[in-house]
Amino acid sequence: MTANGGVPTAAVNATASGSGDEQAAAVRMKIEEKVAEARRLKNEGNELYKAKDYRGAAGKYQRAKLYLKGIDTDLHGTPAFLQQLSVHPGQKNSIPKELEDQCIELNVSVHNNLCAVMLQQENANPERIKHFAEVVLEIDDTNEKAWFRKGQACKLLKEFDTAVDCFQKAVEFSKGKNKEAEKFIKECNVHLEGRKKKEKKMYEEMFKARSSDDPKEA
C-alpha cells in the first residue's frame, strides 16, 4: 500500500472534497484527533448512505480518507508496516496497539464503504472500486465485503474469471450466507460459457478459411 492507505497521492488530491485549509489542518492535528475526525466523517457518510444521498456519502468518505492519509504520512508507514513496529515502545513514530487497531479498522471500513457507495452511483468507475477493495484486502484478506465488491467491479469490467474467484471467496468467508455472490457466480459462468462458444466458433471458421486456401492436389 502507498502512504495514503493504498491510494496514489494524486488521486487523493483530485478526489478529496476538503478545502486547502482543511487539508493543512489535517496535517497539524494529532493522530488521536485525526482518528476521531475520520470516524466522525465516516459516520456522517453512513447516515447519508442510508438516506440514499450517495454523492454526499462519497464526499464524506473521501474526506475521512484524507485524515487517514495524514496519519499514514505522520507515521511514514502502512498498516502492514505499523502492525510489526507500532507495538514496540522504543520504535520511532510508534503508536499504541489500540490506536493502531482503530486506524486499521477505519481504513477497512472507509474503503469498503467507498466501494459500496460508488457501486450505487450511475457511471461508476469499476477500476477505482476494484482498487479500493484491494486496499481492504491488503489489510485483511478474509474480508467478505471486499471480496464481494471486488467481484462486482470485475463483473462490470467483464473480467468474469476473476469475478468468479472473488465471489467464491465471498461465499467462503460468509460461510455460505452470501446468496447474492452465489447468484453472481452463476451469471459470470453464463458469460464465460458464451465467450468459450464464440471463441470456438471463431477458431472453427479460421480453420475452415485456412483449409480452403490450401492448394488442391492435381
Side-chain angles (χ1 to χ4, degrees):
M1 287 172 57
T2 58
N4 60 355
V7 183
T9 301
V12 172
N13 291 339
T15 57
S17 59
S19 66
D21 290 342
E22 185 176 22
Q23 293 183 39
V27 173
R28 292 193 298 270
M29 289 171 69
K30 292 181 180 179
I31 290 176
E32 292 87 348
E33 294 171 332
K34 291 176 183 176
V35 168
E37 188 65 10
R39 191 177 300 281
R40 180 185 69 81
L41 288 164
K42 185 201 80 169
N43 291 338
E44 289 180 1
N46 291 350
E47 292 303 313
L48 290 170
Y49 183 88
K50 291 175 185 177
K52 300 187 185 302
D53 181 357
Y54 301 126
R55 184 171 182 177
K60 294 291 184 180
Y61 296 143
Q62 291 284 8
R63 288 171 63 192
K65 190 157 62 66
L66 172 67
Y67 286 97
L68 295 172
K69 174 203 170 189
I71 294 170
D72 284 344
T73 300
D74 290 342
L75 296 165
H76 306 291
T78 65
F81 174 72
L82 296 178
Q83 203 164 20
Q84 299 175 26
L85 300 180
S86 65
V87 294
H88 300 296
Q91 175 64 40
K92 184 179 179 182
N93 290 338
S94 66
I95 59 175
K97 184 68 167 64
E98 182 181 355
L99 187 57
E100 173 196 328
D101 289 343
Q102 291 181 47
C103 293
I104 293 173
E105 179 271 327
L106 274 170
N107 263 296
V108 167
S109 59
V110 166
H111 284 89
N112 253 338
N113 291 357
L114 267 172
C115 290
V117 78
M118 289 173 70
L119 282 163
Q120 294 292 338
Q121 294 177 299
E122 292 183 11
N123 302 318
N125 184 333
E127 286 286 1
R128 290 188 66 208
I129 296 168
K130 180 181 176 183
H131 171 74
F132 288 143
E134 288 173 342
V135 170
V136 176
L137 293 171
E138 186 175 338
I139 301 170
D140 176 13
D141 64 1
T142 66
N143 191 285
E144 175 213 338
K145 290 181 179 179
W147 281 115
F148 182 65
R149 287 162 185 162
K150 181 180 177 181
Q152 288 177 286
C154 289
K155 186 170 179 281
L156 290 172
L157 291 166
K158 302 187 186 303
E159 298 173 0
F160 298 116
D161 283 311
T162 304
V164 168
D165 291 341
C166 292
F167 290 135
Q168 287 174 338
K169 288 285 188 181
V171 171
E172 175 187 349
F173 292 123
S174 71
K175 297 181 179 179
K177 294 179 181 179
N178 194 328
K179 300 303 180 183
E180 196 169 9
E182 293 180 351
K183 182 187 77 171
F184 285 153
I185 288 172
K186 292 177 182 177
E187 290 180 6
C188 289
N189 282 332
V190 169
H191 286 291
L192 288 169
E193 186 62 31
R195 182 179 291 174
K196 288 179 182 177
K197 288 180 179 178
K198 286 182 181 179
E199 290 176 352
K200 182 180 179 181
K201 184 177 180 181
M202 179 185 70
Y203 287 126
E204 287 175 347
E205 290 176 351
M206 288 174 59
F207 180 77
K208 287 179 181 177
R210 186 176 299 173
S211 298
S212 63
D213 290 338
D214 289 342
K216 304 296 182 181
E217 291 185 6

